Amino acid sequence: MPYVAANVDTDQIIPARFLHRARKQGYGSLLFHDLRYDDAGKERPAFILNRDSYRQGTILLAGPNFGCGSSREHAVWALADYGFRAVMAPSFGDIFYNNCSKNGLLAIVADEALLAALSDEAQRRAGATATIDLAEQSIRSEDGRRWSFTIDPYRQQALLEGASEIEMTLKAIEEIEAFEDAHGSKLPWTLRPALAGNAAADGRQS
Amino acid sequence: MPATLFDKIWSAHSITTRPDGHTLLFVDRHLVHDATAQAFDAIEELGLKVRRPDLTLGSADHYVNTVGALSAQDPTLAEMTHRLLDNARKSDFAAYGFGDPRQGIVHVIGPELGFTLPGTVLVCGDSHTASHGALGALAFGIGTSEVAHVLATQTIWQAKPKQMRITIDGALGPGVTAKDVVLEVIRRIGTEGGTGYAIEYGGDVLAALSIEGRLTICNMTIEAGARSGLVAPDDKTFAYLEGRPLAPSGESWAQAVEDWRALRSDPDAVFDREVALDGGTIEPIVTWGTSPEQAMPISQAIPEPRLEADPVRRQAAEKALAYMGLRAGAAVSELAIDRVFIGSCTNSRIEDLRAAAEIAKGRRASVPAIVVPGSGEVKRQAEAEGLDRIFRAAGFEWRQPGCSMCVAMNGDRVPPGERCASTSNRNFAGRQGPEARTHLVSPPMAAAAAITGRLTDVRKLGYGA
């Protein structure tokens, strides 16, 4: 789906008023909410996601600085839950880019020529497809043209294997603890434990 | 090898580096708020606990009702603030909820409590975490998965960013504030200018600014694309921190200050990019579009999109003007507005409220205006100084602390089609509510707009003269 606009921020991808949903409730129906639906909740026919030829889109072709603004990971959840598997843009907001690989969404930094070629193809023919091979870092269009892209090996692995980063980090817990001890003795003012056990009132009547 | 301030903090927190260059950093300070509940769910699913509750501090801010009655809040939203407190009790970390005198916006209470300290690594699941760099902390916003990672491990994997130094020399003119400085920076380098960088700010202007002013500048660093902004700590920083509840004290204080004095970039340190601005040429700034880079001095006319060479940006400018109901070539000064918001993590500190009150004093608002202090502490101080009475007498509403109308997820929002002069940080389409039109300005400019009902050059009201 070609949606090549500049500075599409995470508030447009998902407005803040929807962020309280539990993760498992899904965010796909909220993707691009205010661009996609009018005040009465009806689809805006002019918005690209509402055109039949793009409803099933799995590759989003986007503009520069896509996902700038708020750190909300919900923006990635909305794209992934809707069914997008990859987003390609000339550049991304830094936090958004980091959030992508943690949720199985492939973010590809693509040059403008590649984006233009794929956008042309998508606009010319409804249901045009392209195939992304993450393992070999390539993109192939239906007419056989082929491009390569780069992704750092760790992100690639995270996407391919879906491993939990937390559990991987905790394998190094001894190293973390050793660092922590040394850090605390070198800069004793840093790790002054002053706060524990201090959860306060929240205005609820008990 | 000569090192930057950023390098020094980075290397002091590096635990290990992966073959792909990502470094595992130790996190000294973790702020949590009421909009990342999903991170607690995530660690619970893995059967893990908060590893260092003593280095974790929470405050309800995003979902807080600022009118002042919990019962007035939508129950679904109130539930989000309750969940933060429930998680805090369960995990035994300190957190301040609705009605607690210490509650406030995390980026306001961190510095104010002395939780934020120079030379620390501080993270939070909010992009405006960049704020804390004003005290010389390496601070950046993270996503929910990363929040879960920090909760469970007290560490975070990061790729080392490139480094940019922005030097602003000279002296600011009358009526020009830190907000105008950062809007000018964003206008110059663009919302992508800082992407992939950490920014260190320096120069005469930064040296002369208060800690509050530096917080405003570092806060909006993310609007220039960079996740962290830094200012080297100096005597002003130390004076600001001394005696704060969570700052070191006694012998520990002396040791800390000695360590902090080394926190500056070496004279021959190399930056990947250097930007210089003349502070004396900066004017009060107002945004005209739906991206913070779409901004201009209040005295100028809205730029013509057709002069924009890049077609994607030209289209963005045209779309922004249509959304904002504005015409290229028109002046924004004297443009009628519908309401005013003074608050947010950018501009809700005591100095911001004093500046706004100076304009409001003895005058009368001609459109609805709300003032939302950044924390209970700011609110008390403002009330002790009589600022609340000045605002109320001028017809401004005086609210309870929270994120409020910056983010339209707590009940405070700008109605569709209305135009708001706002001291917040984002003029994105729909940010302050569906179809809301936002003009970002400084606190005195917002107060001036409230009085005249129009975007107004604050210098015309004699401010700063």
Side-chain angles (χ1 to χ4, degrees):
Chain A
M1 181 183 103
Y3 182 53
V4 186
N7 298 325
V8 173
D9 54 73
T10 52
D11 277 80
Q12 290 181 64
I13 300 172
I14 181 163
R17 61 185 188 279
F18 300 122
L19 306 187
H20 54 77
R21 265 198 192 189
R23 179 69 192 90
K24 59 176 180 284
Q25 274 181 272
Y27 279 79
S29 62
L30 303 170
L31 176 65
F32 292 122
H33 186 278
D34 293 350
L35 295 161
R36 200 166 143 195
Y37 305 107
D38 65 16
D39 302 347
K42 277 184 52 190
E43 285 189 356
R44 297 179 197 270
F47 187 62
I48 188 152
L49 201 65
N50 294 330
R51 294 189 208 154
D52 285 338
S53 46
Y54 299 121
R55 278 186 203 276
Q56 307 299 320
T58 55
I59 302 173
L60 176 62
L61 306 170
N65 208 20
F66 186 80
C68 61
S70 155
S71 58
R72 63 189 68 160
E73 201 155 315
H74 314 65
V76 176
W77 300 342
L79 286 160
D81 291 357
Y82 181 85
F84 283 105
R85 308 287 308 280
V87 190
M88 300 170 66
S91 56
F92 292 94
D94 276 342
I95 305 177
F96 176 86
Y97 185 75
N98 277 341
N99 289 340
C100 281
S101 59
K102 299 185 196 310
N103 293 279
L105 183 67
L106 170 62
I108 298 178
V109 179
D111 67 34
E112 309 220 359
L114 165 57
L115 279 168
L118 293 177
S119 297
D120 283 352
E121 180 108 1
Q123 274 157 356
R124 215 171 33 236
R125 207 172 55 71
T129 62
T131 307
I132 299 173
D133 187 325
L134 177 58
E136 68 168 39
Q137 296 177 219
S138 71
I139 302 159
R140 208 186 330 260
S141 63
E142 271 176 90
D143 58 12
R145 283 179 294 171
R146 191 178 174 285
W147 297 266
S148 60
F149 66 92
T150 55
I151 181 169
D152 83 61
Y154 188 83
R155 273 185 233 276
Q156 183 185 34
Q157 190 196 350
L159 286 162
L160 287 170
E161 295 171 11
S164 155
E165 191 175 49
I166 294 177
E167 288 175 328
M168 277 159 61
T169 302
L170 285 174
K171 286 183 191 154
I173 190 69
E174 284 173 16
E175 204 174 345
I176 296 171
E177 283 168 354
F179 177 92
E180 199 166 23
D181 288 344
H183 187 57
S185 30
K186 203 159 79 187
L187 305 170
W189 48 269
T190 346
L191 303 187
R192 191 179 73 117
L195 291 165
N198 198 17
D202 62 355
R204 272 181 291 190
Q205 305 296 316
S206 53
Chain B
M1 207 173 102
T4 63
L5 167 57
F6 180 92
D7 293 332
K8 292 179 187 183
I9 306 177
W10 180 275
S11 62
H13 291 81
S14 301
I15 300 169
T16 184
T17 298
R18 285 195 310 232
D20 67 349
H22 282 61
T23 295
L24 187 65
L25 294 176
F26 187 77
V27 173
D28 300 311
R29 298 286 184 273
H30 188 194
L31 283 165
V32 293
H33 52 73
D34 47 3
T36 46
Q38 293 96 344
F40 288 94
D41 300 343
I43 63 163
E44 204 170 289
E45 269 170 38
L46 291 170
L48 296 168
K49 289 187 162 59
V50 176
R51 187 160 172 271
R52 290 295 303 258
D54 56 327
L55 303 179
T56 307
L57 174 63
S59 181
D61 53 11
H62 285 70
Y63 286 105
V64 167
N65 168 276
T66 64
V67 180
L70 188 65
S71 56
Q73 186 63 307
D74 175 308
T76 320
L77 305 183
E79 179 57 24
M80 295 303 283
T81 64
H82 299 332
R83 282 179 69 190
L84 170 69
L85 273 288
D86 292 342
N87 281 318
R89 282 189 205 95
K90 203 177 341 172
S91 303
D92 204 29
F93 64 87
Y96 311 136
F98 184 88
D100 188 291
R102 296 160 294 187
Q103 175 267 334
I105 306 174
V106 284
H107 310 311
V108 175
I109 70 164
E112 157 185 293
L113 290 170
F115 183 72
T116 308
L117 294 176
T120 55
V121 167
L122 182 152
V123 299
C124 172
D126 186 277
S127 62
H128 290 110
T129 306
S131 310
H132 306 264
L135 293 156
L138 172 51
F140 49 90
I142 56 179
T144 307
S145 298
E146 290 174 314
V147 170
H149 190 278
V150 176
L151 289 172
T153 69
Q154 203 59 29
T155 65
I156 189 161
W157 289 102
Q158 290 292 296
K160 193 173 183 184
K162 290 184 283 184
Q163 297 182 57
M164 184 187 307
R165 175 160 57 192
I166 299 184
T167 307
I168 310 163
D169 279 325
L172 298 180
V176 179
T177 68
K179 180 65 163 287
D180 303 300
V181 172
V182 70
L183 285 171
E184 178 71 14
V185 166
I186 297 161
R187 194 167 85 91
R188 294 279 188 92
I189 71 172
T191 47
E192 261 194 275
T195 303
Y197 287 89
I199 296 179
E200 180 179 340
Y201 297 96
D204 307 339
V205 166
L206 271 292
L209 276 175
S210 64
I211 298 303
E212 284 87 348
R214 295 176 191 178
L215 283 160
T216 298
I217 291 181
C218 289
N219 172 276
M220 283 191 72
T221 300
I222 185 65
E223 266 59 67
R227 292 171 65 190
S228 34
L230 274 163
V231 178
D234 58 11
D235 287 337
K236 262 187 194 168
T237 319
F238 312 145
Y240 173 92
L241 285 170
E242 192 166 10
R244 303 244 167 211
L246 301 177
S249 55
E251 262 179 54
S252 181
W253 170 257
Q255 177 62 53
V257 172
E258 197 185 311
D259 292 339
W260 295 342
R261 287 199 189 280
L263 291 173
R264 47 189 56 251
S265 292
D266 295 331
D268 43 359
V270 180
F271 288 80
D272 299 288
R273 187 176 169 197
E274 295 260 10
V275 174
L277 267 73
D278 175 359
T281 63
I282 301 173
E283 286 192 66
I285 306 283
V286 53
T287 60
W288 55 264
T290 54
S291 164
E293 70 186 5
Q294 293 170 328
M296 64 192 202
I298 180 81
S299 59
Q300 290 183 11
I302 298 170
E304 300 276 355
R306 63 185 164 80
L307 301 179
E308 173 64 62
D310 176 61
V312 175
R313 288 188 190 283
R314 190 184 319 134
Q315 205 185 25
E318 282 162 357
K319 236 169 82 180
L321 286 177
Y323 180 87
M324 293 296 290
L326 295 172
R327 199 164 45 73
V332 283
S333 180
E334 304 307 313
L335 182 69
I337 51 139
D338 301 298
R339 65 180 60 236
V340 166
F341 168 56
I342 297 173
S344 87
C345 58
T346 310
N347 280 134
S348 63
R349 298 177 183 84
I350 190 68
E351 187 180 277
D352 301 316
L353 304 190
R354 285 184 193 135
E358 195 181 326
I359 298 286
K361 191 170 188 174
R363 296 186 168 107
R364 189 76 200 163
S366 57
V367 294
I370 64 171
V371 184
V372 185
S375 68
E377 179 59 34
V378 170
K379 182 166 182 277
R380 272 190 302 285
Q381 192 177 347
E383 288 171 354
E385 294 178 18
L387 304 185
D388 60 321
R389 291 194 297 279
I390 293 174
F391 285 124
R392 285 199 175 107
F396 293 60
E397 262 186 79
W398 180 247
R399 296 282 188 93
Q400 299 294 320
C403 297
S404 186
M405 210 177 271
C406 173
V407 66
M409 60 197 281
N410 46 51
D412 293 342
R413 63 165 80 167
V414 176
E418 279 200 10
R419 193 177 294 286
C420 179
S422 177
T423 66
S424 54
N425 39 58
R426 288 184 176 141
N427 52 345
F428 297 160
R431 172 79 178 186
Q432 292 193 291
E435 293 167 62
R437 293 164 168 168
T438 303
H439 293 275
L440 302 177
V441 289
S442 72
M445 288 274 284
I451 301 300
T452 62
R454 295 168 182 282
L455 292 175
T456 300
D457 188 336
V458 72
R459 295 169 297 189
K460 290 187 183 157
L461 296 183
Y463 179 78

